Amino acid sequence: GAVVSQHPSRVICKSGTSVKIECRSLDFQATTMFWYRQFPKQSLMLMATSNEGSKATYEQGVEKDKFLINHASLTLSTLTVTSAHPEDSSFYICSAFRPGQGVIGYDSPLHFGNGTRLTVT
Amino acid sequence: GIQVEQSPPDLILQEGANSTLRCNFSDSVNNLQWFHQNPWGQLINLFYIPSGTKQNGRLSATTVATERYSLLYISSSQTTDSGVYFCAVDRSYWGFTGANSKLTFGKGITLSVRP
């Protein structure tokens, strides 16, 4: 089955530094990837849609200057949390859309990474 | 936007028991998925089920799209079934690239299966 690799799985950084999280589709090319944020004991909230070769589309209330998204290739999207603060501590999850699978409709074309737990001290 | 309500919010079972988890949504959807999030945060896709019924081992799911709900059945529960179960929906038609995909997740159902 399709595999999405997210790295790192866990990161601790100091307040004011930047952190980059990578999301890779290992066995398919993904023109569209998604970034979610999950606070403890809460649901997943879509942050942004990442489109290969173009600017990301951010959801309302998500600061695009703080959460920089780059989808430079068909297999890699990155999320950079700039000037991180303790309130940015959260669980970040990416997903990648496998082209064509949505048309078939039997299995989900959305494949999720294992998430990154960010702690800002 | 579309609203997703899951019930019950918490569920405690004795190992071996059966359970039904419910997901109601406020508008028609073209996509619906059930996920299990394990204690390590990993999100496991259980079913992609915008309509109809599917079964996979001890788990099965039914979506009645016209009545805007979906049910996840767990039979003969095991301690490894513990975790949070999410229902997620999307109104849009995903097409070939999924560029307009926008999953909305419910708040989840926390299941604890005791030995």
Side-chain angles (χ1 to χ4, degrees):
Chain A
V3 177
V4 173
S5 173
Q6 189 172 340
H7 179 80
S9 58
R10 188 180 293 267
V11 59
I12 302 173
C13 71
K14 292 188 176 181
S15 187
T17 61
S18 295
V19 174
K20 180 183 284 188
I21 303 169
E22 293 187 348
C23 180
R24 294 182 184 271
S25 55
L26 297 184
D27 56 353
F28 66 96
Q29 293 183 328
T31 55
T32 311
M33 291 186 174
F34 307 88
W35 289 96
Y36 295 84
R37 183 174 183 175
Q38 185 181 28
F39 289 108
K41 299 189 184 301
Q42 293 192 24
S43 187
L44 281 75
M45 300 296 293
L46 180 65
M47 298 175 66
T49 301
S50 169
N51 302 294
E52 188 268 337
S54 64
K55 290 184 178 180
T57 303
Y58 290 82
E59 295 301 302
Q60 191 172 9
V62 177
E63 300 176 61
K64 58 183 67 175
D65 293 332
K66 166 165 276 294
F67 300 101
L68 300 180
I69 292 172
N70 185 6
H71 194 153
S73 78
L74 287 171
T75 58
L76 175 64
S77 176
T78 61
L79 169 67
T80 301
V81 183
T82 63
S83 187
H85 291 283
E87 56 266 30
D88 298 324
S89 298
S90 189
F91 192 60
Y92 294 88
I93 306 176
C94 73
S95 71
F97 190 96
R98 186 168 194 160
Q101 196 172 354
V103 176
I104 298 173
Y106 185 76
D107 293 318
S108 173
L110 284 171
H111 303 275
F112 284 76
N114 285 339
T116 297
R117 195 166 302 281
L118 170 63
T119 303
V120 185
T121 61
Chain B
I2 194 167
Q3 306 297 314
V4 182
E5 293 185 4
Q6 293 186 245
S7 60
D10 300 282
L11 189 57
I12 300 174
L13 297 177
Q14 203 66 33
E15 195 169 29
N18 303 329
S19 64
T20 301
L21 286 61
R22 187 177 182 101
C23 172
N24 292 334
F25 39 97
S26 61
D27 207 340
S28 58
V29 299
N30 283 300
N31 304 279
L32 187 146
Q33 294 186 228
W34 281 97
F35 296 92
H36 174 215
Q37 188 170 40
N38 64 23
W40 297 272
Q42 185 182 14
L43 206 62
I44 299 165
N45 186 17
L46 299 177
F47 293 103
Y48 174 68
I49 185 166
S51 64
T53 298
K54 289 184 177 179
Q55 180 158 6
N56 184 4
R58 296 182 296 104
L59 303 181
S60 63
T62 295
T63 297
V64 184
T66 53
E67 297 187 22
R68 300 179 186 171
Y69 73 88
S70 183
L71 302 174
L72 177 68
Y73 306 96
I74 304 175
S75 64
S76 304
S77 58
Q78 301 176 359
T79 55
T80 51
D81 295 332
S82 296
V84 182
Y85 289 80
F86 288 104
C87 168
V89 304
D90 190 358
R91 291 194 61 197
S92 60
Y93 173 66
W94 285 350
F96 190 82
T97 66
N100 58 345
S101 166
K102 186 173 178 177
L103 275 181
T104 299
F105 282 74
K107 292 185 177 181
I109 296 170
T110 301
L111 173 64
S112 298
V113 181
R114 296 180 173 172

